[in-house]
Amino acid sequence: MKTTKNSQRLFKQARRYLPGGVDSPVRAFGAVGGIPRFIVKGKGSKIRDADGNSYIDYVCSWGPLILGHADRRVVKAIRDAAGKGTSFGAATEMETRLAGMISAAVPSMQMLRFVSSGTEAAMSAIRLARAFTGRGRIVKFDGCYHGHSDSLLVSGGSGMATLGIPDSPGVTASTAMDTLVAGYNDLDAVRRLFAKYPDSIAAVIVEPIAANMGLAHPARGFLSGLRRLSKEHGALLIFDEVISGFRVAYGGAQALYNIKPDLTCLGKIIGGGLPVGAYGGRRDIMQMVAPSGKVYQAGTLSGNPLAMTAGITTLEILNDPSVYRRLEEKGELLQQGLAAAACGACLPLSIAREGSLLTVFFSAESVTDYASARRCDTSVFARFLRGMLEEGIYWPPSQFEAAFLSLAHSLRDIDATLRAARKVFKQL
Ligand SMILES: *Cc1c(COP(=O)(O)O)cnc(C)c1O
């Protein structure tokens, strides 16, 4: 058994001051049991914990680290920028540079605004959509995550389109009431919502490739249907590409599926491992944001120079088609190897993958929405997770998350991962 003595001690100390010992819930390993590892160092595909254990990391900070940990080019850029000052609260040229790179990659984002997290990006995009349309309601999908702002912390009743119920105490019923929920991939449910609430829906917000219920692909015609319906009914279509942006393709999911949303939310990769988010889209809509328009939104650290630098350096490296080919090859090897290992162990598994994003669902059926995701065997997943940790593989500690491959993951890393999976699958 790997020793976790130091992580245990640090976790105990942390719980005195931090609720649950962490600053973001999944980190506490609540869904899988065991001791959350306290990380001291990361380099490339690997991380090391406080007990000196080394792991091949498939969390990669939940997406931002597509180049791997402590990429030398990104670290150098951050170091150089830090020497010139860490924040000014005034305009810098770097913001325009990164905005230009993003707009070139994602042409639907004619203008954009930087914020400090994906949560802020989605929250601000919703406010803007409401202001632009003069309407109050929004449609979201069961199992899609758009950060933790009040009106987006609402999930569905039972797959059926229904009035939102708050997912968290502290979200008022009146806030949740304006959030309508449909099942992912259920275009009919969206049609019914537009029929039931004509002229009052400001926006439909969706993860074009869902990656927060585990990975689920949009069904054929789902995204184009959303595009058509929202246009017909005078509502905006918002793609939350905080995960998929610069991950599934340089231009994000909207490039893969060739759909043009009105607004897009980004985060994660565009900050190169530092706190960044962005929302943007049609010029006529974005011009409503203060100070060019009246929709207020601001941030002390927005467009932070270190974060801009890390983002620029990351995108410069990603702007090369061979990058996404390599990520696809690695993803394919991992998927095929895991499928073969499951087959060898007679384990019913369904693996969803898009490029370097991958979820192993402990279920025989493929996952198309949150209802099917929830039918997975989470107790077997928990044993899988703990077994993999023991073998030196740091997999996302929840069935409802995607694993992230980076450019730093080598074929040897993938081999080692498959060897571990073959062993662990047999024990399940
Ligand atoms: C991570 C995520 C967010 C929230 O971003 P934070 O930076 O954690 O606030 C929003 N939407 C999606 C799709 C995400 O994956």
Side-chain angles (χ1 to χ4, degrees), residues 306-327:
L306 303 193
M308 295 295 104
T309 298
I312 290 167
T313 309
T314 301
L315 296 203
E316 277 170 354
I317 296 164
L318 294 180
N319 190 10
D320 168 357
S322 81
V323 158
Y324 292 92
R325 264 203 310 277
R326 274 183 286 155
L327 288 170

Side-chain angles (χ1 to χ4, degrees), residues 162-207:
T162 168
L163 276 179
I165 24 165
D167 237 9
S168 163
V171 176
T172 63
S174 59
T175 300
M177 224 170 59
D178 281 333
T179 303
L180 310 168
V181 180
Y184 195 72
N185 279 326
D186 189 351
L187 203 54
D188 277 335
V190 179
R191 208 171 275 125
R192 284 195 299 272
L193 287 173
F194 273 119
K196 189 163 175 196
Y197 302 99
D199 307 320
S200 72
I201 295 173
V204 175
I205 184 166
V206 66
E207 287 181 77

Side-chain angles (χ1 to χ4, degrees), residues 117-119 145-147 207 212 240 242-243 268:
S117 67
T119 293
Y145 180 66
H146 306 292
E207 287 181 77
N212 284 288
D240 182 346
V242 171
I243 281 190
K268 301 196 169 119

Side-chain angles (χ1 to χ4, degrees), residues 63-64 66-67 71 73-74 77 94-106 109 112 114 241-242 244-247 249-252 266-273 276 278 307-321 323-324 407:
I66 194 166
L67 306 179
D71 179 90
R73 298 155 292 188
V74 176
M94 284 179 273
E95 296 153 70
T96 315
R97 258 187 75 197
L98 183 55
M101 292 172 81
I102 291 173
S103 181
V106 187
M109 298 177 81
L112 56 118
F114 288 111
E241 298 226 46
V242 171
S244 58
F246 296 94
R247 166 63 63 178
Y250 192 66
L266 294 174
K268 301 196 169 119
I269 288 176
I270 62 160
V276 183
M308 295 295 104
T309 298
I312 290 167
T313 309
T314 301
L315 296 203
E316 277 170 354
I317 296 164
L318 294 180
N319 190 10
D320 168 357
V323 158
Y324 292 92
L407 284 164

Side-chain angles (χ1 to χ4, degrees), residues 55-76:
Y55 304 88
I56 300 171
D57 179 22
Y58 287 94
V59 173
C60 288
S61 190
W62 301 100
L65 301 181
I66 194 166
L67 306 179
H69 292 273
D71 179 90
R72 129 190 92 69
R73 298 155 292 188
V74 176
V75 171
K76 179 177 187 308

